[in-house]
Amino acid sequence: MPDDQTHEQVQEWTRRHTGAGPLGRTDAPVSIPASIPASVPASAPAEGFAGCPAGCASAAYLELLANSAPADAYERPVLRARADGAPPGVLAAAEHARLLALRVRAELEDRRRREAELSALFATAHDLAGLRDIDEVLRAIVRRARSLLGTDAAYLTLNDAAVGDTFMRVTDGSVSARFQALRLGMGEGLGGLVAQTARPYATDDYLRDPRFRHTTTIDSGVRDEGLVAILGVPLRLGSRVIGVLFAADRRLRVFDQQHIALLSSFAAHAAVAIDTADLLAETRSALTDLEAANATARERSAAVERAAEIHDRLTELVLRGGGVPGVLETVAEVLGGAAEFLEPSSGDGALAVVERSRAEGRAVRYGDDWVAAVSAGDEPLGAIRLRDRPGLDPADRRTLERAAMVTALLRLARRSANEAEQRVRGELLDDLLDAPGRAPRLLRERAARLHADLDTPHIILTARITDDSADTPAARQRLWTAAAHLATTEQGLAVARDGGAVLLLPHRPADGTGVTASGMARRLGEAVRSPVTVGASTPVPAPAARPEGVAAAYAEARRCLEVLHALGRGGEGAAADEFGFVGLLLTGTGGGTRAAGRFVSRTIGPVVAYDARRGTDLVATLDAYFRCGMSPARTKDDLHVHVNTVAQRLDRVGRLLGTDWQSPARALEIQLALRLHRISPALGGE
């Protein structure tokens, strides 16, 4: 950030070159174009810099953002200012504005990408709801799959049960005739392996990937098409694989778990759409060829129309931004009975049935109820349970399955949005901890977007899994997830840091920091399923106004956590004011810690030095002696040694510390020194 002198240079240079007043303002009215072009050509000059290349930096970068200019366009304002001979302060201000604008541009691009992805999913659901012809369904599947992942090509193969292989049916973005006519044997190539195993596979460089059985025919087709990275997911109906849906790029690309989950959900949705189209075709054929079965055909047609109706209603629900309760309400209204959602961790007795439904890909009977698993690929997300409807026909069961897939899409979309919000919350807390010089106004604006008020007192809590054997990556992820959720509900911030989690929460004086820390340790421990230790700081009056106080509070909270471990109180939560005289050191300066070290050295230094030279354990014996009420008999039981050994060690202590070491005054000082010696690592001592 430019300093005051730099700021004065910016103002003076701007007034000299533009006639602008303080802060770069002019009395001339600002005109806003009636329409803003979608992009700015790379060769176009930066508007707003003809007369004030540095003084109008903010306005010019805002204009570049509004015009969706390419990244290289953001270099021109700084270059123009340098060419115009701007002073260093002006150049620093322009460079700072450029960096901020590029950060905003990156954030906007990321949000556009997420919006485009969700829009593609919703548009796919909308299109499939209105399709009835099987060929049109297949073309829509491939076109939407390509749009969904933004790949160079997409294609779909269907299994040929008579021949025992899978063949290319529809392509989009393909240019090779040989590739479009490929047939893959079961287990051959990536697609054949997906069709055979019913599992998704992805490769970032197919021709170099040894996991797949390469054949000359398949490799030649892939080479002709120029494909490099390929992702394939199965189209499944129950336990049967009817084909494979692919997305492919002509360059190296890593398809991550999110891509696989999204495309798997889309493929499952598409498979049911294909099944619905086939069912309609069969119904039309039956109406034409079997006049005697008119009544049965009408009943089946009505069931299919009911399935189409709920599909349309669910699609509309998704487009309106509805949630899982809306899906349950629609299912209950159309199919009758009562619908409820089962969480993956629910203790309901239907969990075994949910797992069977997920494995088979079908709704499963459970007494008088039906259960349809909600999943994304191999990840379980829960289940829909329809109560008191034992007589569901096949079409109604498919309707329930379709509702489960729509629910999976909604859960994935909601989770993506929550993860994005938690990343933003973590970035704000990281900035408070690592960059205390942040501008208060910007901190307040960022906090307001997250519904956090940083002008009220807050406390820092630092949490860590107590048991080292339970401190696994999965357990840390559960700790971070639980901390992020609790911070959101409390209108605070959370971030993963130093092997644990850090929370910045509003301070409620009625509860007290120690009570808050203890409650947080309990709640996080339940979420992690392992004890969690939590240290709390004293309140920070207003983090936005004094960001430097947050870093100091974090250091204090960490010391509290370390002291809890040193005192054998792992799994608890506490604040500095609960440690008595030790708390004065936790909230004090480094000078207090050094004074404590000198006190320890002066009081029990000879004993500590003796242990270091001889490898004895006089300090531990002395600690146990006072802990056992100065009783040699109880001390020997505590140390599991003979009473004569205790007497010999205490005699050695007396020779080192003086004969009056057990007098009340000396005994008190020795006990204090022993306590400080035990926690000295947590206080930063040696």
Side-chain angles (χ1 to χ4, degrees):
M1 292 293 292
D3 55 21
D4 292 341
Q5 182 178 0
T6 301
H7 183 66
E8 292 175 0
Q9 292 176 353
V10 172
Q11 291 183 332
E12 177 59 27
W13 193 89
T14 302
R15 284 195 295 270
R16 217 170 42 238
H17 284 73
T18 68
L23 301 180
R25 296 189 178 90
T26 68
D27 296 331
V30 177
S31 61
I32 299 176
S35 61
I36 298 175
S39 65
V40 175
S43 61
E47 292 297 327
F49 278 76
C52 49
C56 299
S58 298
Y61 281 121
L62 286 175
E63 184 175 359
L64 290 174
L65 289 171
N67 291 339
S68 300
D72 57 357
Y74 290 74
E75 296 289 343
R76 296 194 198 100
V78 178
L79 295 176
R80 180 66 177 276
R82 187 174 292 113
D84 287 350
V90 174
L91 292 177
E95 177 65 20
H96 181 67
R98 182 184 72 85
L99 294 177
L100 288 179
L102 285 174
R103 285 179 57 189
V104 173
R105 180 181 182 275
E107 178 68 19
L108 291 174
E109 288 295 328
D110 186 59
R111 294 195 179 188
R112 289 192 192 103
R113 180 190 61 76
R114 292 197 297 269
E115 291 173 0
E117 186 176 75
L118 291 176
S119 296
L121 283 172
F122 297 154
T124 296
H126 183 271
D127 284 355
L128 291 177
L131 296 177
R132 294 295 182 265
D133 179 71
I134 184 61
D135 291 328
E136 190 177 355
V137 169
L138 294 179
R139 284 192 295 271
I141 290 170
V142 174
R143 185 173 63 254
R144 289 299 184 186
R146 182 183 178 191
S147 172
L148 183 66
L149 267 70
T151 53
D152 296 327
Y155 47 100
L156 181 146
T157 62
L158 292 180
N159 292 355
D160 189 336
V163 180
D165 65 2
T166 181
F167 62 97
M168 196 75 68
R169 177 64 183 273
V170 180
T171 65
D172 188 65
S174 172
V175 296
S176 169
R178 179 187 298 185
F179 181 79
Q180 295 168 13
L182 277 179
R183 296 187 74 97
L184 294 77
M186 291 298 179
E188 294 179 354
L190 185 147
L193 189 60
V194 173
Q196 182 183 58
T197 63
R199 295 176 60 85
Y201 280 89
T203 177
D204 56 354
D205 191 349
Y206 172 79
L207 293 176
R208 297 177 182 272
D209 200 325
R211 294 179 298 164
F212 310 109
R213 179 147 52 97
H214 293 268
T215 67
T216 303
T217 302
I218 298 174
D219 286 2
S220 297
V222 172
R223 195 175 288 109
D224 283 356
E225 190 62 42
L227 299 181
V228 178
I230 304 175
L231 167 63
V233 298
L235 299 176
R236 293 192 296 190
L237 287 176
S239 58
R240 180 168 60 95
V241 177
I242 64 172
V244 181
L245 179 61
F246 299 86
D249 261 337
R250 295 186 175 91
R251 64 187 186 282
L252 289 176
R253 174 177 176 176
V254 177
F255 293 101
D256 60 24
Q257 192 62 37
Q258 182 180 6
H259 293 144
I260 296 173
L262 287 170
L263 194 59
S264 296
S265 298
F266 179 80
H269 201 167
V272 174
I274 293 173
D275 185 43
T276 301
D278 289 337
L279 182 59
L280 286 169
E282 293 172 6
T283 302
R284 294 191 187 101
S285 177
L287 289 172
T288 302
D289 300 333
L290 303 173
E291 292 294 340
N294 281 338
T296 303
R298 282 195 298 270
E299 180 181 347
R300 191 171 188 181
S301 178
V304 171
E305 290 301 325
R306 188 163 62 252
E309 176 192 355
I310 193 172
H311 195 174
D312 291 341
R313 293 180 60 176
L314 291 176
T315 300
E316 182 183 358
L317 176 69
V318 171
L319 294 176
R320 289 201 316 265
V324 176
V327 175
L328 299 178
E329 181 180 347
T330 302
V331 169
E333 181 179 343
V334 175
L335 299 183
E340 64 178 354
F341 183 77
L342 304 178
E343 294 287 349
S345 58
S346 171
D348 194 284
L351 284 182
V353 181
V354 172
E355 183 58 31
R356 183 158 64 92
S357 171
R358 191 174 70 84
E360 297 178 3
R362 287 287 192 183
V364 176
R365 178 82 175 267
Y366 181 54
D368 289 340
D369 305 338
W370 287 87
V371 174
V374 175
S375 61
D378 293 331
E379 179 184 2
L381 301 176
I384 293 179
R385 180 174 182 175
L386 183 64
R387 293 184 177 273
D388 304 324
R389 278 303 311 273
L392 280 186
D393 59 32
D396 286 341
R397 289 201 295 274
R398 280 190 287 275
T399 295
L400 183 60
E401 293 156 8
R402 184 177 294 111
M405 281 182 284
V406 171
T407 301
L409 289 174
L410 293 173
R411 298 273 289 184
L412 284 174
R414 180 63 58 84
R415 184 171 65 185
S416 296
N418 288 340
E419 289 174 353
E421 180 182 347
Q422 295 309 330
R423 283 196 299 272
V424 174
R425 288 178 176 273
E427 290 169 0
L428 176 55
L429 184 50
D430 265 334
D431 286 346
L432 286 168
L433 293 172
D434 296 335
R438 297 280 181 178
R441 180 181 60 81
L442 295 178
L443 292 175
R444 291 188 181 95
E445 291 176 357
R446 293 171 61 186
R449 288 193 291 270
L450 300 172
H451 306 291
D453 183 4
L454 296 185
D455 284 316
T456 61
H458 281 64
I459 61 171
I460 284 283
L461 300 168
T462 179
R464 190 186 306 160
I465 298 173
T466 304
D467 189 354
D468 290 340
S469 63
D471 191 7
T472 63
R476 288 189 180 185
Q477 181 60 40
R478 288 196 299 271
L479 174 63
W480 153 238
T481 301
H485 173 72
L486 291 173
T488 301
T489 57
E490 297 287 339
Q491 296 183 327
L493 306 174
V495 68
R497 198 178 181 93
D498 297 331
V502 181
L503 299 91
L504 178 67
L505 300 181
H507 173 53
R508 297 182 177 85
D511 293 341
T513 54
V515 173
T516 302
S518 179
M520 192 62 65
R522 176 181 53 78
R523 296 166 71 180
L524 292 176
E526 292 172 353
V528 178
R529 299 189 292 276
S530 180
V532 173
T533 308
V534 176
S537 72
T538 53
V540 181
R546 298 184 59 190
E548 67 278 2
V550 178
Y554 173 55
E556 178 186 329
R558 286 188 62 187
R559 289 195 297 269
C560 282
L561 187 146
E562 297 297 341
V563 168
L564 283 171
H565 280 289
L567 296 179
R569 294 176 57 185
E572 300 181 19
D577 57 8
E578 297 182 46
F579 292 107
F581 74 94
V582 175
L584 299 177
L585 299 177
L586 293 177
T587 57
T589 63
T593 304
R594 289 189 296 270
R598 291 193 295 269
F599 174 76
V600 171
S601 178
R602 185 176 66 252
T603 306
I604 60 172
V607 179
V608 174
Y610 187 88
D611 279 349
R613 289 195 310 272
R614 303 294 183 89
T616 55
D617 211 4
L618 296 182
V619 171
T621 302
L622 196 56
D623 195 16
Y625 179 66
F626 284 113
R627 190 170 60 249
C628 294
M630 303 177 71
S631 167
R634 289 199 295 270
T635 302
K636 62 97 174 176
D637 293 336
D638 186 77
L639 297 176
H640 304 289
V641 298
H642 196 275
V643 67
N644 290 340
T645 301
V646 174
Q648 292 170 5
R649 293 179 181 179
L650 294 179
D651 182 62
R652 173 62 62 183
V653 168
R655 288 198 294 273
L656 291 170
L657 298 182
T659 57
D660 65 336
W661 69 276
Q662 296 190 69
S663 65
R666 288 290 308 279
L668 176 60
E669 289 185 351
I670 292 172
Q671 291 179 67
L672 291 177
L674 288 170
R675 178 67 63 90
L676 291 173
H677 178 67
R678 190 193 313 170
I679 67 170
S680 61
L683 297 175
E686 297 180 355

